[in-house]
Amino acid sequence: MARRSEHSQDEIRKMVLQAAESIVINEGYSALNTRKIAMKIGYTVGSIYMVYTNMADLILHIKARTLDEISQNLQQVQVADPAQALEELAVAYLNFANLNYNRWCVLFEYRKSSGSAIDDWYQDKIDKVFVLVEGQLSKLSADRPKNEIKQASRSLWSGVHGVCVLSLAKALGDLDVSKVQSNVLLLVRSFIKGFIS
Amino acid sequence: MARRSEHSQDEIRKMVLQAAESIVINEGYSALNTRKIAMKIGYTVGSIYMVYTNMADLILHIKARTLDEISQNLQQVQVADPAQALEELAVAYLNFANLNYNRWCVLFEYRKSSGSAIDDWYQDKIDKVFVLVEGQLSKLSADRPKNEIKQASRSLWSGVHGVCVLSLAKALGDLDVSKVQSNVLLLVRSFIKGFIS
DNA sequence: ACCTGAACACCGTTCAAGT
DNA sequence: ACCTGAACACCGTTCAAGT
């Protein structure tokens, strides 16, 4: 066998990632495995390890793409009023999580990667999301020192994330999306009101 | 073989749970498996299935005990001032999560249980935590209707949870505990200030 | 009735061997 | 050089068979 350069390594790399993503989207994280990916792209399991060091590495790249899409989604929020913008950012985040639930969940699933710490390039993608919040928050209270703004954006956005996690995981009972949205908005509005007062 | 009633079924049930818990505590969720549990209690894997329907069932009971301990911890917060009490509840939650990190993480790991929905008795344990927050929040703003209080406690507490998750998972970079605590407190204080104003 | 232990159907990962 | 496929060391779960 050993079909020769039918696809470049780079192509295989993308095929593996795309196949893995579609499995996650359609069947969820727990359904993802190497044999299913290999079957889907018409190669054998071994070939996955030519282009990714292991499963954890592949999953990290799935996560990275999800984070990129989240950033992209949030960047489309263009509102002059910062308080309004923060609300819309939160709603956009919730909507992404809800519409892309399986992929979003993978972000918080950890299969321990090779290195114990988080890779810098991955951390940057996380930070990029928080920076958007910082931008609005600093417009909202221009007088505050930068480190306070940074802290506040972490607290606020982690809070928004928390509402999304527990609501969508149904830890709060079975809520419809509009209920979750009003929970998110309550948190954002109350926080902002309290923070600037 | 087949040693007869050396331990009662109920004793084995407890032994399995305790062994599983200690594995989670010492080695983390990913190190938990049936063969390790069996080895630890001096039985074979098959016997685990006499007392728990499957691994998901056992994990659910680990989670239940963790939730009980959290409730117990939070109930020890006895402060007259409700705003102060909410702050201390949040700090107590963070401290539990930090000191019992491996066990706390299991709460948000899902291995799909037999039934798709959350069992009622388990949901009750989750609710019990939120009820504590509701109690303080209703003292804080006695004029508000009950459903608003309930919504607010969900938003606030989910938010607190979110800060704990992202901070302890180091998604926000490597923060020491005191930094995390000030993030939590900022969220609680800002929310409360905004909510009652 | 209680418990074993061996089997089954899965996993992720590796690597000698083919082209 | 690229890729296979078979092996290895694991999983959770089941169940006929022993006492």
Side-chain angles (χ1 to χ4, degrees):
Chain A
M1 300 276 170
R3 127 186 59 170
R4 201 175 292 270
S5 64
E6 199 173 307
H7 299 280
S8 71
Q9 296 291 98
D10 225 65
E11 281 174 320
I12 294 177
R13 209 180 144 77
K14 277 170 191 153
M15 288 160 66
V16 169
L17 182 58
Q18 204 182 346
E21 248 174 3
S22 83
I23 292 165
V24 165
I25 290 169
N26 296 315
E27 307 171 55
Y29 174 74
S30 62
L32 182 67
N33 64 61
T34 55
R35 282 161 180 87
K36 205 179 272 182
I37 295 168
M39 173 100 89
K40 210 156 190 165
I41 65 171
Y43 281 79
T44 60
V45 277
S47 57
I48 295 173
Y49 293 85
M50 302 182 335
V51 291
Y52 290 100
T53 61
N54 51 32
M55 208 55 177
D57 182 34
L58 170 56
I59 290 166
L60 187 67
H61 283 84
I62 297 177
K63 289 176 166 190
R65 287 201 9 140
T66 307
L67 278 178
D68 284 343
E69 273 188 53
I70 289 174
S71 284
Q72 210 177 305
N73 264 31
L74 296 190
Q75 263 152 13
Q76 278 165 19
V77 171
Q78 296 287 0
V79 194
D81 178 50
Q84 180 78 26
L86 284 166
E87 288 182 22
E88 293 201 14
L89 283 172
V91 170
Y93 185 70
L94 170 62
N95 282 338
F96 182 90
N98 190 46
L99 293 173
N100 306 274
Y101 186 64
N102 282 345
R103 246 191 319 161
W104 181 72
C105 281
V106 175
L107 289 177
F108 313 103
E109 208 84 49
Y110 65 51
R111 204 180 292 209
K112 217 177 252 161
S113 68
S114 42
S116 54
I118 297 177
D119 293 275
D120 280 349
W121 64 270
Y122 183 76
Q123 183 66 55
D124 285 346
K125 291 184 189 294
I126 298 175
D127 293 343
K128 202 173 265 179
V129 172
F130 281 88
V131 164
L132 292 173
V133 180
E134 274 177 50
Q136 298 302 330
L137 217 47
S138 62
K139 275 209 273 179
L140 198 69
S141 46
D143 49 326
R144 301 250 192 156
K146 201 162 185 190
N147 63 322
E148 272 185 33
I149 296 292
K150 200 167 179 181
Q151 197 210 348
S153 62
R154 276 170 165 169
S155 292
L156 172 58
W157 200 255
S158 299
V160 168
H161 169 72
V163 178
C164 294
V165 181
L166 292 189
S167 298
L168 297 178
K170 304 191 192 308
L172 310 176
D174 221 334
L175 304 170
D176 53 294
V177 195
S178 70
K179 266 272 175 69
V180 179
Q181 181 162 323
S182 68
N183 282 345
V184 168
L185 287 175
L186 178 62
L187 184 75
V188 175
R189 285 175 188 150
S190 301
F191 181 91
I192 292 176
K193 214 196 276 185
F195 184 68
I196 62 177
S197 70
Chain B
M1 300 276 167
R3 130 186 56 172
R4 201 176 291 271
S5 62
E6 200 172 308
H7 299 279
S8 71
Q9 295 290 99
D10 224 66
E11 280 175 319
I12 294 177
R13 209 181 144 77
K14 276 170 190 155
M15 286 160 68
V16 169
L17 182 58
Q18 203 182 347
E21 248 174 4
S22 85
I23 293 165
V24 166
I25 290 170
N26 296 316
E27 307 171 55
Y29 173 73
S30 63
L32 182 66
N33 65 60
T34 55
R35 280 160 181 87
K36 204 179 274 182
I37 295 168
M39 173 99 89
K40 212 156 189 163
I41 64 171
Y43 281 78
T44 60
V45 277
S47 56
I48 295 173
Y49 292 86
M50 302 183 333
V51 291
Y52 290 100
T53 60
N54 52 31
M55 209 55 178
D57 181 35
L58 169 57
I59 291 166
L60 188 66
H61 283 84
I62 297 177
K63 290 176 166 189
R65 288 202 5 141
T66 306
L67 278 178
D68 284 343
E69 273 188 53
I70 290 175
S71 283
Q72 209 177 306
N73 264 31
L74 296 191
Q75 262 151 15
Q76 278 165 18
V77 171
Q78 297 288 359
V79 195
D81 178 49
Q84 180 78 24
L86 284 166
E87 288 183 22
E88 292 201 14
L89 283 172
V91 171
Y93 184 71
L94 170 62
N95 282 338
F96 181 90
N98 190 46
L99 293 173
N100 306 274
Y101 186 63
N102 282 344
R103 247 190 317 161
W104 181 72
C105 281
V106 175
L107 288 178
F108 313 103
E109 209 84 50
Y110 67 50
R111 202 179 293 208
K112 217 176 250 160
S113 67
S114 43
S116 53
I118 297 177
D119 293 274
D120 280 349
W121 65 270
Y122 184 76
Q123 183 65 56
D124 286 346
K125 290 183 189 295
I126 299 176
D127 292 344
K128 201 173 265 180
V129 173
F130 281 87
V131 164
L132 291 174
V133 180
E134 274 177 50
Q136 299 301 331
L137 217 48
S138 60
K139 275 207 272 178
L140 198 69
S141 46
D143 49 326
R144 301 250 193 157
K146 201 162 183 191
N147 65 321
E148 271 186 33
I149 296 293
K150 199 166 179 183
Q151 197 208 348
S153 62
R154 276 169 164 169
S155 292
L156 172 58
W157 200 256
S158 299
V160 167
H161 168 71
V163 177
C164 294
V165 181
L166 292 189
S167 298
L168 297 178
K170 304 190 194 307
L172 309 175
D174 222 334
L175 305 169
D176 53 294
V177 195
S178 72
K179 267 270 174 72
V180 179
Q181 181 163 323
S182 68
N183 282 344
V184 168
L185 287 175
L186 178 63
L187 184 73
V188 174
R189 285 175 188 150
S190 301
F191 182 91
I192 291 175
K193 213 196 277 183
F195 184 68
I196 62 177
S197 72

